[in-house]
Amino acid sequence: MFLDFLIATFQENKQEEAIVWKDRTFSYKWLLERYNYWRDKVKSNGISKGTIVIIEADFSPNSVSLLLALLEQGCIFVPITESMIQNRDEFIGIAEGEFLFKIDKDDNVNISKLKYNSRNQIYHKLKEIGHPGLVLFSSGSSGKSKASVHDITRIIKKFKVRRYRFRTITFLLYDHIGGFNTLLYTLSNAGLIVTVSDRSPDSVLRAIEKYKVELLPTSPTFINLILLSDLYKQYNINSLKIVTYGTEPMPESTLKRFNYLFPNIKLLQTYGLSEVGILRSKSKSSDS
């Protein structure tokens, strides 16, 4: 099985917390059971290897377990979040989606068959070797949106090596390469995924305090918002060990101020591309 190493981690940590969603906690036992439920559901709907599946969702218990079930089934999955909703129909057309799983804000799932029947040659290569795929879109800021197609077997190899276990906020989106990387890293190390209802400084800082979050993957813009809002003074965020940042340049003034206010939090610059995934990186120092 493609996800054997991940399932083994779930089985070893059944009683551990896996996901926090809307102030409810779901264990690895629950996640494993829900993963098996979605595997059966996917098969019963005639979804086989190479099927192009659109998932319209954000991070939630069902979106996480469904994603894993689709990977195991060898599907090519295409995540779309609310932030991209204005391009939704365009993205579905470019991806040639064959099934749509729409997950609402209460984590209810609606399944529908789409009109497309893909014959794309890039997909065909994945289907021939039976590997699952991931499709991510550019914002289309420089013209028509473009899609990157990944062979997930290549992305997932690095997660087979056990690393540190963290309680992590899913700040980066479900349809972002950084969000996908955060999810797989956390699950492969039996960490805790802490979801937030919105990605405002108040919601994120409240979640850090309540769930003793240790890792926050974010952007320089959001770090600057925290500093400008002064909300960090209202919350105890001493549990936070690492803040990783990427997606845009970091102003030196923001970096130095954050490091001055929070000298015990390690800052790490990350780098990735929708086309190639997240690369391992090492910062010279937290204020560099």
Side-chain angles (χ1 to χ4, degrees), residues 61-87:
N62 270 323
S63 75
V64 171
S65 51
L66 173 58
L67 183 157
L68 297 175
L70 290 170
L71 292 188
E72 184 58 50
Q73 185 65 3
C75 297
I76 297 166
F77 82 94
V78 188
I80 297 177
T81 59
E82 196 173 323
S83 66
M84 294 290 196
I85 205 67
Q86 64 184 14
N87 302 107

mmCIF file of all heavy atoms in Angstrom, residues 61-87:
data_model
loop_
_atom_site.group_PDB
_atom_site.id
_atom_site.type_symbol
_atom_site.label_atom_id
_atom_site.label_comp_id
_atom_site.label_asym_id
_atom_site.label_seq_id
_atom_site.Cartn_x
_atom_site.Cartn_y
_atom_site.Cartn_z
ATOM 1 N N PRO A 61 -11.799 17.592 9.522
ATOM 2 C CA PRO A 61 -11.606 16.140 9.692
ATOM 3 C C PRO A 61 -11.904 15.340 8.423
ATOM 4 O O PRO A 61 -11.139 14.443 8.052
ATOM 5 C CB PRO A 61 -12.587 15.801 10.817
ATOM 6 C CG PRO A 61 -12.674 17.060 11.618
ATOM 7 C CD PRO A 61 -12.597 18.175 10.619
ATOM 8 N N ASN A 62 -13.015 15.651 7.750
ATOM 9 C CA ASN A 62 -13.343 14.904 6.528
ATOM 10 C C ASN A 62 -12.412 15.232 5.374
ATOM 11 O O ASN A 62 -12.068 14.356 4.581
ATOM 12 C CB ASN A 62 -14.798 15.162 6.117
ATOM 13 C CG ASN A 62 -15.754 14.165 6.734
ATOM 14 O OD1 ASN A 62 -15.437 12.986 6.866
ATOM 15 N ND2 ASN A 62 -16.926 14.628 7.136
ATOM 16 N N SER A 63 -11.993 16.497 5.244
ATOM 17 C CA SER A 63 -11.112 16.843 4.122
ATOM 18 C C SER A 63 -9.752 16.161 4.252
ATOM 19 O O SER A 63 -9.143 15.776 3.255
ATOM 20 C CB SER A 63 -10.940 18.366 4.022
ATOM 21 O OG SER A 63 -10.086 18.867 5.026
ATOM 22 N N VAL A 64 -9.281 15.991 5.491
ATOM 23 C CA VAL A 64 -7.988 15.328 5.712
ATOM 24 C C VAL A 64 -8.099 13.833 5.435
ATOM 25 O O VAL A 64 -7.286 13.257 4.704
ATOM 26 C CB VAL A 64 -7.487 15.583 7.154
ATOM 27 C CG1 VAL A 64 -6.252 14.722 7.453
ATOM 28 C CG2 VAL A 64 -7.161 17.061 7.349
ATOM 29 N N SER A 65 -9.107 13.182 6.015
ATOM 30 C CA SER A 65 -9.247 11.728 5.832
ATOM 31 C C SER A 65 -9.595 11.371 4.392
ATOM 32 O O SER A 65 -9.116 10.363 3.854
ATOM 33 C CB SER A 65 -10.302 11.175 6.796
ATOM 34 O OG SER A 65 -11.509 11.908 6.725
ATOM 35 N N LEU A 66 -10.399 12.205 3.733
ATOM 36 C CA LEU A 66 -10.745 11.968 2.327
ATOM 37 C C LEU A 66 -9.526 12.117 1.426
ATOM 38 O O LEU A 66 -9.304 11.304 0.514
ATOM 39 C CB LEU A 66 -11.841 12.939 1.898
ATOM 40 C CG LEU A 66 -12.214 12.943 0.409
ATOM 41 C CD1 LEU A 66 -12.670 11.563 -0.046
ATOM 42 C CD2 LEU A 66 -13.289 13.984 0.129
ATOM 43 N N LEU A 67 -8.745 13.132 1.680
ATOM 44 C CA LEU A 67 -7.520 13.341 0.897
ATOM 45 C C LEU A 67 -6.634 12.100 0.944
ATOM 46 O O LEU A 67 -6.142 11.620 -0.091
ATOM 47 C CB LEU A 67 -6.780 14.557 1.459
ATOM 48 C CG LEU A 67 -5.498 15.041 0.786
ATOM 49 C CD1 LEU A 67 -5.269 16.517 1.111
ATOM 50 C CD2 LEU A 67 -4.274 14.259 1.243
ATOM 51 N N LEU A 68 -6.450 11.537 2.130
ATOM 52 C CA LEU A 68 -5.600 10.353 2.273
ATOM 53 C C LEU A 68 -6.190 9.152 1.542
ATOM 54 O O LEU A 68 -5.467 8.375 0.915
ATOM 55 C CB LEU A 68 -5.411 10.028 3.757
ATOM 56 C CG LEU A 68 -4.692 11.103 4.585
ATOM 57 C CD1 LEU A 68 -4.676 10.705 6.058
ATOM 58 C CD2 LEU A 68 -3.282 11.345 4.085
ATOM 59 N N ALA A 69 -7.511 9.001 1.613
ATOM 60 C CA ALA A 69 -8.171 7.887 0.926
ATOM 61 C C ALA A 69 -8.004 7.997 -0.585
ATOM 62 O O ALA A 69 -7.792 6.994 -1.280
ATOM 63 C CB ALA A 69 -9.651 7.858 1.292
ATOM 64 N N LEU A 70 -8.098 9.201 -1.115
ATOM 65 C CA LEU A 70 -7.921 9.407 -2.556
ATOM 66 C C LEU A 70 -6.486 9.124 -2.988
ATOM 67 O O LEU A 70 -6.247 8.554 -4.058
ATOM 68 C CB LEU A 70 -8.321 10.832 -2.935
ATOM 69 C CG LEU A 70 -9.819 11.150 -2.848
ATOM 70 C CD1 LEU A 70 -10.065 12.642 -3.012
ATOM 71 C CD2 LEU A 70 -10.605 10.366 -3.904
ATOM 72 N N LEU A 71 -5.529 9.506 -2.152
ATOM 73 C CA LEU A 71 -4.129 9.196 -2.454
ATOM 74 C C LEU A 71 -3.923 7.686 -2.528
ATOM 75 O O LEU A 71 -3.285 7.172 -3.449
ATOM 76 C CB LEU A 71 -3.196 9.784 -1.392
ATOM 77 C CG LEU A 71 -3.062 11.295 -1.289
ATOM 78 C CD1 LEU A 71 -1.953 11.638 -0.307
ATOM 79 C CD2 LEU A 71 -2.786 11.931 -2.628
ATOM 80 N N GLU A 72 -4.459 6.971 -1.542
ATOM 81 C CA GLU A 72 -4.294 5.520 -1.502
ATOM 82 C C GLU A 72 -4.954 4.851 -2.700
ATOM 83 O O GLU A 72 -4.461 3.842 -3.216
ATOM 84 C CB GLU A 72 -4.878 4.967 -0.195
ATOM 85 C CG GLU A 72 -4.663 3.485 -0.003
ATOM 86 C CD GLU A 72 -3.186 3.097 -0.027
ATOM 87 O OE1 GLU A 72 -2.378 3.721 0.691
ATOM 88 O OE2 GLU A 72 -2.835 2.184 -0.796
ATOM 89 N N GLN A 73 -6.045 5.442 -3.181
ATOM 90 C CA GLN A 73 -6.761 4.889 -4.329
ATOM 91 C C GLN A 73 -6.054 5.209 -5.647
ATOM 92 O O GLN A 73 -6.398 4.667 -6.689
ATOM 93 C CB GLN A 73 -8.202 5.438 -4.347
ATOM 94 C CG GLN A 73 -9.103 4.867 -5.413
ATOM 95 C CD GLN A 73 -9.388 3.372 -5.238
ATOM 96 O OE1 GLN A 73 -8.961 2.751 -4.280
ATOM 97 N NE2 GLN A 73 -10.101 2.791 -6.179
ATOM 98 N N GLY A 74 -5.038 6.067 -5.603
ATOM 99 C CA GLY A 74 -4.301 6.405 -6.818
ATOM 100 C C GLY A 74 -4.981 7.465 -7.657
ATOM 101 O O GLY A 74 -4.739 7.563 -8.872
ATOM 102 N N CYS A 75 -5.822 8.279 -7.031
ATOM 103 C CA CYS A 75 -6.526 9.338 -7.763
ATOM 104 C C CYS A 75 -5.636 10.555 -7.972
ATOM 105 O O CYS A 75 -4.596 10.710 -7.328
ATOM 106 C CB CYS A 75 -7.779 9.766 -6.994
ATOM 107 S SG CYS A 75 -8.990 8.456 -6.820
ATOM 108 N N ILE A 76 -6.063 11.416 -8.871
ATOM 109 C CA ILE A 76 -5.419 12.718 -9.082
ATOM 110 C C ILE A 76 -6.352 13.742 -8.451
ATOM 111 O O ILE A 76 -7.475 13.928 -8.918
ATOM 112 C CB ILE A 76 -5.212 12.999 -10.576
ATOM 113 C CG1 ILE A 76 -4.269 11.952 -11.171
ATOM 114 C CG2 ILE A 76 -4.675 14.413 -10.796
ATOM 115 C CD1 ILE A 76 -4.243 11.907 -12.684
ATOM 116 N N PHE A 77 -5.916 14.347 -7.336
ATOM 117 C CA PHE A 77 -6.849 15.214 -6.642
ATOM 118 C C PHE A 77 -6.472 16.683 -6.808
ATOM 119 O O PHE A 77 -5.305 17.068 -6.879
ATOM 120 C CB PHE A 77 -7.022 14.805 -5.178
ATOM 121 C CG PHE A 77 -5.962 15.299 -4.244
ATOM 122 C CD1 PHE A 77 -6.137 16.471 -3.537
ATOM 123 C CD2 PHE A 77 -4.812 14.567 -4.049
ATOM 124 C CE1 PHE A 77 -5.171 16.912 -2.654
ATOM 125 C CE2 PHE A 77 -3.832 15.000 -3.173
ATOM 126 C CZ PHE A 77 -4.019 16.187 -2.471
ATOM 127 N N VAL A 78 -7.530 17.490 -6.878
ATOM 128 C CA VAL A 78 -7.402 18.913 -7.172
ATOM 129 C C VAL A 78 -8.102 19.706 -6.070
ATOM 130 O O VAL A 78 -9.330 19.797 -6.049
ATOM 131 C CB VAL A 78 -8.052 19.256 -8.532
ATOM 132 C CG1 VAL A 78 -7.741 20.690 -8.933
ATOM 133 C CG2 VAL A 78 -7.640 18.269 -9.615
ATOM 134 N N PRO A 79 -7.356 20.259 -5.110
ATOM 135 C CA PRO A 79 -8.003 21.020 -4.035
ATOM 136 C C PRO A 79 -8.323 22.457 -4.469
ATOM 137 O O PRO A 79 -7.536 23.098 -5.167
ATOM 138 C CB PRO A 79 -6.942 21.008 -2.936
ATOM 139 C CG PRO A 79 -5.641 20.904 -3.667
ATOM 140 C CD PRO A 79 -5.912 20.111 -4.917
ATOM 141 N N ILE A 80 -9.494 22.934 -4.052
ATOM 142 C CA ILE A 80 -9.901 24.321 -4.297
ATOM 143 C C ILE A 80 -10.468 24.878 -2.999
ATOM 144 O O ILE A 80 -11.357 24.262 -2.401
ATOM 145 C CB ILE A 80 -10.958 24.418 -5.413
ATOM 146 C CG1 ILE A 80 -10.404 23.922 -6.747
ATOM 147 C CG2 ILE A 80 -11.466 25.856 -5.558
ATOM 148 C CD1 ILE A 80 -11.428 23.920 -7.879
ATOM 149 N N THR A 81 -9.969 26.031 -2.557
ATOM 150 C CA THR A 81 -10.493 26.653 -1.346
ATOM 151 C C THR A 81 -11.323 27.879 -1.696
ATOM 152 O O THR A 81 -11.355 28.335 -2.838
ATOM 153 C CB THR A 81 -9.354 27.079 -0.406
ATOM 154 O OG1 THR A 81 -8.505 28.015 -1.093
ATOM 155 C CG2 THR A 81 -8.517 25.893 0.036
ATOM 156 N N GLU A 82 -11.971 28.413 -0.673
ATOM 157 C CA GLU A 82 -12.841 29.576 -0.858
ATOM 158 C C GLU A 82 -12.085 30.774 -1.421
ATOM 159 O O GLU A 82 -12.654 31.620 -2.108
ATOM 160 C CB GLU A 82 -13.489 29.943 0.482
ATOM 161 C CG GLU A 82 -14.674 30.866 0.361
ATOM 162 C CD GLU A 82 -15.390 31.067 1.684
ATOM 163 O OE1 GLU A 82 -15.487 30.099 2.463
ATOM 164 O OE2 GLU A 82 -15.845 32.199 1.935
ATOM 165 N N SER A 83 -10.783 30.857 -1.136
ATOM 166 C CA SER A 83 -9.985 31.984 -1.619
ATOM 167 C C SER A 83 -9.909 32.011 -3.148
ATOM 168 O O SER A 83 -9.637 33.048 -3.750
ATOM 169 C CB SER A 83 -8.568 31.920 -1.036
ATOM 170 O OG SER A 83 -7.871 30.786 -1.536
ATOM 171 N N MET A 84 -10.123 30.866 -3.772
ATOM 172 C CA MET A 84 -10.053 30.744 -5.224
ATOM 173 C C MET A 84 -11.431 30.559 -5.864
ATOM 174 O O MET A 84 -11.528 30.166 -7.022
ATOM 175 C CB MET A 84 -9.155 29.554 -5.607
ATOM 176 C CG MET A 84 -7.703 29.736 -5.243
ATOM 177 S SD MET A 84 -6.887 30.992 -6.256
ATOM 178 C CE MET A 84 -5.162 30.616 -5.925
ATOM 179 N N ILE A 85 -12.484 30.811 -5.093
ATOM 180 C CA ILE A 85 -13.824 30.480 -5.556
ATOM 181 C C ILE A 85 -14.229 31.217 -6.826
ATOM 182 O O ILE A 85 -14.995 30.705 -7.646
ATOM 183 C CB ILE A 85 -14.863 30.733 -4.433
ATOM 184 C CG1 ILE A 85 -16.103 29.854 -4.629
ATOM 185 C CG2 ILE A 85 -15.207 32.194 -4.295
ATOM 186 C CD1 ILE A 85 -15.860 28.397 -4.452
ATOM 187 N N GLN A 86 -13.699 32.418 -7.039
ATOM 188 C CA GLN A 86 -14.050 33.159 -8.259
ATOM 189 C C GLN A 86 -13.496 32.483 -9.513
ATOM 190 O O GLN A 86 -14.000 32.698 -10.620
ATOM 191 C CB GLN A 86 -13.540 34.595 -8.169
ATOM 192 C CG GLN A 86 -12.027 34.716 -8.099
ATOM 193 C CD GLN A 86 -11.569 36.158 -7.910
ATOM 194 O OE1 GLN A 86 -12.358 37.035 -7.584
ATOM 195 N NE2 GLN A 86 -10.292 36.394 -8.142
ATOM 196 N N ASN A 87 -12.475 31.648 -9.352
ATOM 197 C CA ASN A 87 -11.900 30.914 -10.479
ATOM 198 C C ASN A 87 -12.336 29.455 -10.508
ATOM 199 O O ASN A 87 -11.806 28.663 -11.294
ATOM 200 C CB ASN A 87 -10.367 30.973 -10.421
ATOM 201 C CG ASN A 87 -9.816 32.384 -10.435
ATOM 202 O OD1 ASN A 87 -9.341 32.867 -9.422
ATOM 203 N ND2 ASN A 87 -9.895 33.043 -11.575
#
